[in-house]
Amino acid sequence: MAKNISVDVAVIGAGTAGLVAVSEIIKVTQNFVLIQDGPMGTTCARVGCMPSKALIQTAADFHRRGVLEKKGILGTEGLRLDGAAVMRHVRNLRDHFTNGMVAKTTRYGERLIQGHARFAGIGRLEVAGRCIEAKTIIIANGSRPALRPEWAALGGRVLTSDTLFEIETLPKSLAVLGMGVIGVEIGQAMAHLGVRVVGSARSGRIAGLSDPAVTKAAAEALEHDLELWSGHAADLAAEGGRLVVSAGPNRREVEAALVSSGRVPNIDNLGLEQLGIPLDERGMPHYDPATLQVEGLPLFIAGDTNGREPILHEAWDDGRVAGYNAVRTAAPARFKRRAGLHITFSEPNIVTAGTRFKDLEPGTFVTGRCDFDDGRALIHDQNQGLLHLYADVETGRLLGVEMCAPDGEHLGHLLAWAIQRDMSVFDTLKMPFYHPVIEEGLRDALKQAAARVRKKPHFPEMAFCENE
Amino acid sequence: MAKNISVDVAVIGAGTAGLVAVSEIIKVTQNFVLIQDGPMGTTCARVGCMPSKALIQTAADFHRRGVLEKKGILGTEGLRLDGAAVMRHVRNLRDHFTNGMVAKTTRYGERLIQGHARFAGIGRLEVAGRCIEAKTIIIANGSRPALRPEWAALGGRVLTSDTLFEIETLPKSLAVLGMGVIGVEIGQAMAHLGVRVVGSARSGRIAGLSDPAVTKAAAEALEHDLELWSGHAADLAAEGGRLVVSAGPNRREVEAALVSSGRVPNIDNLGLEQLGIPLDERGMPHYDPATLQVEGLPLFIAGDTNGREPILHEAWDDGRVAGYNAVRTAAPARFKRRAGLHITFSEPNIVTAGTRFKDLEPGTFVTGRCDFDDGRALIHDQNQGLLHLYADVETGRLLGVEMCAPDGEHLGHLLAWAIQRDMSVFDTLKMPFYHPVIEEGLRDALKQAAARVRKKPHFPEMAFCENE
């Protein structure tokens, strides 16, 4: 390809959002470039969703030994881990998923350009000494773990999700700084694998929950596995060659630390200041979340870079929106987003769907609860957790849910779909619930909420033929 | 209570349907009796859903050892079963659930009458020498496993679900006659527990599936665990003191046999012939499925006894319908039933929802498929199965699904709800799917079906703001 080229669309970043954007763009034009800086294969496949799920699965399988003896399964005391093999298996699966994504990237041949992109002006990029003129540009170059330089200086024993899956074997002890989704998932998985884990949640919030009772249930569940420090900023230091984590009055020597206290959008190294447009304190231009367009410019921001919802299915949709609109800049379409759904793959799962508790107006909603203490959850030895669902006090319309629940990932889908379809607690109670299933716990919560709604139908349990 | 009594409602059978019926009746009248013959505690809790799930959970936990070594979990060769402890654990859980149901039964005090009920006429019952006059009667006395007398004569080694959970320890080998829900669940669980199992499916149908491709996938999954004989009627015989199962050219000596070839409604021992009303060949009077009323009489038939859908949540609804109408006989309400949902808790789960394949008109529907060979299913080592979903060829409206799928119980709920809400494949594709989840396999099938529907929206992947 020529040194200086002119294209319809340039996409910065061959991650999830960028690849999906390209799949939309090529429905209209083949004259595009996809620019990738660093390793190919998406955050999700390389260092995110996939290797974490592989580690969690092994951890859950090993942890399960604790409930087997009472069932008549003997010999569990002989089960042991080969830490190096555990990490090799995680990397093998990771490589399987990453290779799939790399193949989806390299198929674009010379339209794929490797190097770091910088803006030289509106519609102009410089990449590895080449100049690219583009009618439209999509910024989709992801995010990176936040890591304070003084912690980075402590060396390889201070990990982030970028380096975690490269460790040769399991550490004996681990500090987890930040109990968001990544901290909770990895912290608990490491604990299940026999690593002594201490987790620090500065704000006391856990995995994005905002309901105090559900947060408490999640904390209690985590405390079966690890030590949880809450309410103090954590710090790392080397003391006589040893790594020490501290937070308020707490202090612990650890073999390694995982810093999981947020991610930084890769927006700060693109030369956006060359565009002469207003940038916020993070260096982010203002964009319309319904079109992903930067106001007045042929420029879109998609995926983790835009800082909106750094989760895969939202990045995927961002790619669709930006790709669709990048080839229709005359009249970009406004897209309606899906109902919110956030899942932390801990045990029990931590899930929110729809509106979070903290965003509800007190007095406008009723709550239904279930604590999963019996039935199928008991049979599966997963009888712990708490689900709170919120419904409109007048009509019973489902508003949202926060939960720490067995099979919460599945309950979350059911509820997110019901919320997006504007269903009420009464509508959902007319749906089938098999027996014995975890969904019956959800039904208990729906019934409880239904009983508290002001306007109730005559017989909420079933539908009459004449009424629908 | 007096020898001869007169009540508003008499309920025959304190199982699920009977107990739920009483819970509706007491909202209107306290003048009722509940008549129970034999052990209390419901089919579900005593010999059905609950002990089978307990056995399946232990079996799944033991079977799981086969995938652990590659993950770095060593020492699995030392795992072994204490068969007696396995069965004790199952019975302990069973007793926990049964005791809960017994407590719900005995709380009715002297309104609970123990003994066998027989009709002496319309509105008249005889129970243990007492005569009961009832304005309305609900028959809800369940069903029993079908067992040919010549097989019963072979003694305790010929089991049904009524006797299975009482065995002291696991047999070395087991023949399973009938691969419906019970045969598949118990047969596979026993195989996972190390029992050598042969299963005979006379018709070739498995767990209620009707789609040939899904049936084949289910058979292949089962054949990892047990030997499956298909297409021949099976027989049992004692040969020189040994138990032998045969079917067509197949023949095998086994230590025990489970007869799971259907259930017989307990309708044949009530003296219904005293009522002078027409009975069908099973001895069943004609009843209206929307009201559960026997035509023209103050008589209702609910739960397994009516032979409609012998599964718990349907029995529960039957109890509601019959109980609601038993105290409103002047104008019984017609109830709309929930979308069909049938789950077999095998590995993978076997599930049908909505309309079955065999009941669809060829040419009127499109099919979408997923075989769960990658993604989360691969991480969980559950990457086998097949899902076929059916949608209206013109509009894309979801009609039904048959599947043999990991986490099929949860996919089944999601789809049954979507079907009951008249959603199309395009509607469902606008819902959130998290990553990485088994639900993404469902999305693949939805996309495939969507591509085959005649009338497609412009951009099926997402919703535009102006369109909804």
Side-chain angles (χ1 to χ4, degrees):
Chain A
M1 205 178 259
K3 185 162 165 37
N4 298 322
I5 54 175
S6 174
V7 295
D8 290 331
V9 190
V11 178
I12 307 173
T16 299
L19 288 169
V20 174
V22 168
S23 73
E24 288 299 325
I25 291 161
I26 58 176
K27 294 177 186 171
V28 175
T29 176
Q30 303 305 312
N31 189 19
F32 71 93
V33 287
L34 175 61
I35 304 161
Q36 171 63 8
D37 188 15
M40 285 184 283
T42 82
T43 298
C44 161
R46 283 195 314 109
V47 294
C49 325
M50 304 316 272
S52 61
K53 296 307 101 57
L55 186 74
I56 287 168
Q57 185 61 56
T58 302
D61 281 327
F62 188 58
H63 182 59
R64 185 79 185 154
R65 74 195 183 288
V67 301
L68 300 185
E69 191 166 329
K70 69 175 176 199
K71 296 174 191 284
I73 301 174
L74 308 181
T76 55
E77 67 285 354
L79 291 175
R80 61 197 188 279
L81 281 184
D82 176 343
V86 168
M87 294 311 301
R88 271 200 309 276
H89 176 70
V90 168
R91 282 191 292 271
N92 284 345
L93 274 172
R94 187 264 322 261
D95 292 347
H96 164 77
F97 295 115
T98 303
N99 291 343
M101 298 314 298
V102 171
K104 285 186 182 177
T105 310
T106 55
R107 67 180 164 181
Y108 294 118
E110 63 173 13
R111 302 234 151 250
L112 173 68
I113 297 176
Q114 300 205 45
H116 182 73
R118 282 190 69 84
F119 280 86
I122 289 168
R124 287 172 48 216
L125 293 170
E126 289 174 3
V127 184
R130 295 162 79 171
C131 188
I132 297 168
E133 301 254 353
K135 287 181 196 153
T136 308
I137 295 172
I138 296 175
I139 302 172
N141 61 332
S143 63
R144 60 186 187 273
L147 181 62
R148 286 154 57 172
E150 63 271 29
W151 293 355
L154 296 171
R157 59 194 166 174
V158 176
L159 303 160
T160 68
S161 52
D162 274 359
T163 52
L164 170 72
F165 302 107
E166 297 301 331
I167 59 176
E168 279 305 307
T169 188
L170 300 171
K172 285 199 175 50
S173 57
L174 180 74
V176 177
L177 285 78
M179 294 302 276
V181 175
I182 295 171
V184 166
E185 287 189 352
I186 301 301
Q188 190 189 46
M190 285 293 184
H192 284 172
L193 290 166
V195 177
R196 202 156 21 85
V197 175
V198 57
S200 171
R202 189 187 45 169
S203 65
R205 278 186 71 179
I206 291 175
L209 291 170
S210 74
D211 185 313
V214 181
T215 302
K216 184 162 174 280
E220 284 170 5
L222 288 173
E223 283 172 337
H224 290 159
D225 303 314
L226 50 83
E227 185 175 343
L228 195 58
W229 296 345
S230 216
H232 303 281
D235 200 3
L236 288 173
E239 296 183 5
R242 296 193 298 272
L243 185 62
V244 171
V245 59
S246 59
N250 308 297
R251 191 175 175 287
R252 185 69 40 83
E253 191 178 310
V254 289
E255 203 175 299
L258 172 70
V259 179
S260 49
S261 46
R263 296 180 67 85
V264 182
N266 291 330
I267 195 80
D268 51 350
N269 48 10
L270 292 169
L272 280 174
E273 60 283 0
Q274 300 294 320
L275 301 184
I277 56 170
L279 303 175
D280 70 14
E281 70 282 0
R282 295 168 304 172
M284 186 84 72
H286 183 77
Y287 69 92
D288 180 342
T291 63
L292 300 185
Q293 186 173 17
V294 175
E295 257 171 30
L297 292 183
L299 181 63
F300 295 82
I301 307 191
D304 289 7
T305 324
N306 68 24
R308 210 181 51 84
E309 285 272 26
I311 48 182
L312 181 113
H313 76 281
E314 295 281 357
W316 194 281
D317 280 352
D318 269 15
R320 284 195 187 104
V321 171
Y324 186 94
N325 281 337
V327 287
R328 291 171 181 86
T329 44
R334 301 178 61 77
F335 285 84
K336 191 172 171 175
R337 302 308 285 253
R338 301 170 206 270
L341 177 59
H342 299 84
I343 299 174
T344 299
F345 294 89
S346 50
E347 197 173 291
N349 295 163
I350 297 174
V351 180
T352 68
T355 307
R356 280 193 170 85
F357 174 80
K358 71 178 169 63
D359 298 324
L360 294 166
E361 184 90 26
T364 65
F365 66 96
V366 295
T367 302
R369 60 167 272 155
C370 169
D371 61 8
F372 302 96
D373 65 342
D374 205 345
R376 187 74 179 289
L378 175 67
I379 289 175
H380 200 178
D381 288 285
Q382 295 191 329
N383 49 324
Q384 62 169 343
L386 180 64
L387 177 151
H388 272 189
L389 66 82
Y390 320 110
D392 184 272
V393 62
E394 293 294 336
T395 64
R397 187 167 62 89
L398 279 169
L399 302 171
V401 65
E402 299 201 7
M403 70 177 101
C404 164
D407 284 321
E409 54 178 302
H410 305 296
L411 302 182
H413 279 84
L414 208 50
L415 279 166
W417 288 31
I419 289 167
Q420 186 167 332
R421 295 294 289 186
D422 283 330
M423 286 170 71
S424 72
V425 288
F426 307 111
D427 294 329
T428 50
L429 286 172
K430 293 185 173 63
M431 299 295 118
F433 292 82
Y434 207 77
H435 178 74
V437 293
I438 295 293
E439 283 79 357
E440 293 171 295
L442 168 59
R443 185 177 54 190
D444 291 345
L446 289 165
K447 279 186 186 176
Q448 198 178 72
R452 292 168 178 170
V453 169
R454 294 219 178 100
K455 293 179 210 145
K456 287 187 236 339
H458 161 60
F459 190 73
E461 299 281 358
M462 287 182 74
F464 296 96
C465 285
E466 50 271 30
N467 287 357
E468 348 215 311
Chain B
M1 205 177 259
K3 186 159 163 39
N4 297 321
I5 54 176
S6 174
V7 295
D8 290 331
V9 189
V11 178
I12 307 173
T16 299
L19 288 169
V20 174
V22 168
S23 74
E24 288 300 325
I25 291 162
I26 58 176
K27 294 177 186 171
V28 175
T29 176
Q30 303 305 311
N31 189 18
F32 71 92
V33 287
L34 175 60
I35 305 162
Q36 171 64 8
D37 188 16
M40 285 184 284
T42 81
T43 298
C44 161
R46 282 195 314 111
V47 294
C49 326
M50 304 315 274
S52 61
K53 297 309 102 55
L55 186 75
I56 288 168
Q57 185 61 56
T58 302
D61 281 327
F62 188 59
H63 183 59
R64 185 79 186 155
R65 74 195 183 287
V67 301
L68 300 185
E69 191 167 331
K70 70 174 176 200
K71 296 174 191 285
I73 301 174
L74 308 181
T76 55
E77 67 285 355
L79 291 175
R80 62 197 188 280
L81 281 185
D82 176 344
V86 168
M87 294 311 302
R88 270 200 309 275
H89 176 70
V90 168
R91 282 192 291 270
N92 284 345
L93 275 171
R94 187 263 324 259
D95 291 346
H96 163 77
F97 295 116
T98 303
N99 291 343
M101 297 314 297
V102 171
K104 285 185 182 178
T105 311
T106 54
R107 66 180 164 182
Y108 294 119
E110 63 173 14
R111 302 234 151 251
L112 173 68
I113 297 177
Q114 301 205 44
H116 182 72
R118 283 189 68 85
F119 279 86
I122 289 168
R124 286 173 47 219
L125 293 171
E126 287 174 4
V127 185
R130 295 162 79 171
C131 188
I132 297 169
E133 303 254 353
K135 288 182 196 152
T136 309
I137 295 172
I138 297 175
I139 301 173
N141 61 331
S143 63
R144 60 185 187 272
L147 181 60
R148 286 155 56 174
E150 62 271 29
W151 293 355
L154 295 170
R157 59 195 167 173
V158 176
L159 303 160
T160 67
S161 52
D162 275 358
T163 51
L164 170 72
F165 301 109
E166 296 301 330
I167 59 176
E168 278 305 307
T169 190
L170 300 170
K172 286 199 173 52
S173 58
L174 179 75
V176 176
L177 285 77
M179 294 301 275
V181 175
I182 295 171
V184 166
E185 287 190 351
I186 302 299
Q188 190 188 46
M190 286 291 184
H192 284 171
L193 290 167
V195 177
R196 203 157 20 84
V197 175
V198 56
S200 172
R202 188 187 46 169
S203 65
R205 279 186 71 181
I206 291 176
L209 292 169
S210 75
D211 185 312
V214 181
T215 302
K216 183 161 173 284
E220 284 169 8
L222 288 174
E223 282 171 337
H224 290 160
D225 303 313
L226 50 84
E227 185 175 344
L228 196 57
W229 295 345
S230 216
H232 302 282
D235 200 3
L236 288 173
E239 297 183 7
R242 296 192 299 273
L243 186 63
V244 171
V245 60
S246 60
N250 307 296
R251 193 175 175 288
R252 184 68 41 82
E253 190 179 312
V254 289
E255 203 174 298
L258 173 70
V259 179
S260 50
S261 48
R263 296 180 66 84
V264 182
N266 291 329
I267 196 81
D268 51 352
N269 49 9
L270 292 169
L272 281 174
E273 60 282 1
Q274 301 295 321
L275 301 184
I277 56 173
L279 304 175
D280 71 13
E281 70 282 359
R282 295 169 302 172
M284 185 85 72
H286 184 77
Y287 69 91
D288 181 341
T291 62
L292 300 186
Q293 185 172 17
V294 175
E295 258 171 30
L297 291 184
L299 181 63
F300 296 82
I301 307 193
D304 290 8
T305 324
N306 69 25
R308 208 181 53 85
E309 284 273 25
I311 47 182
L312 181 112
H313 75 280
E314 295 281 358
W316 193 280
D317 280 352
D318 269 16
R320 283 195 187 103
V321 171
Y324 186 93
N325 281 337
V327 286
R328 292 173 181 84
T329 44
R334 300 178 61 78
F335 285 85
K336 191 171 173 176
R337 303 307 287 251
R338 301 169 205 269
L341 177 59
H342 299 83
I343 300 174
T344 299
F345 294 88
S346 49
E347 197 173 292
N349 295 162
I350 297 174
V351 181
T352 68
T355 307
R356 281 192 168 85
F357 174 81
K358 70 179 169 63
D359 298 324
L360 295 165
E361 184 90 25
T364 65
F365 67 96
V366 295
T367 301
R369 58 167 273 153
C370 169
D371 60 9
F372 303 96
D373 65 342
D374 205 345
R376 186 74 178 288
L378 176 65
I379 290 175
H380 201 178
D381 290 284
Q382 295 192 327
N383 49 323
Q384 63 170 342
L386 181 65
L387 177 150
H388 271 189
L389 65 83
Y390 320 110
D392 185 89
V393 64
E394 294 294 337
T395 64
R397 188 167 62 90
L398 279 169
L399 302 172
V401 64
E402 298 201 7
M403 70 177 100
C404 163
D407 284 321
E409 55 179 304
H410 305 296
L411 302 181
H413 279 85
L414 209 50
L415 279 166
W417 287 30
I419 289 167
Q420 186 168 332
R421 296 293 290 185
D422 283 330
M423 287 171 70
S424 72
V425 290
F426 308 111
D427 294 329
T428 50
L429 286 171
K430 294 185 173 63
M431 298 296 117
F433 292 83
Y434 207 79
H435 178 75
V437 293
I438 295 292
E439 283 80 356
E440 292 172 296
L442 168 59
R443 185 176 56 192
D444 291 346
L446 289 165
K447 279 186 186 175
Q448 198 179 74
R452 293 168 177 171
V453 169
R454 294 216 179 102
K455 293 179 211 144
K456 287 188 232 344
H458 160 60
F459 190 72
E461 298 280 0
M462 286 181 73
F464 297 97
C465 285
E466 50 271 27
N467 287 358
E468 349 213 315

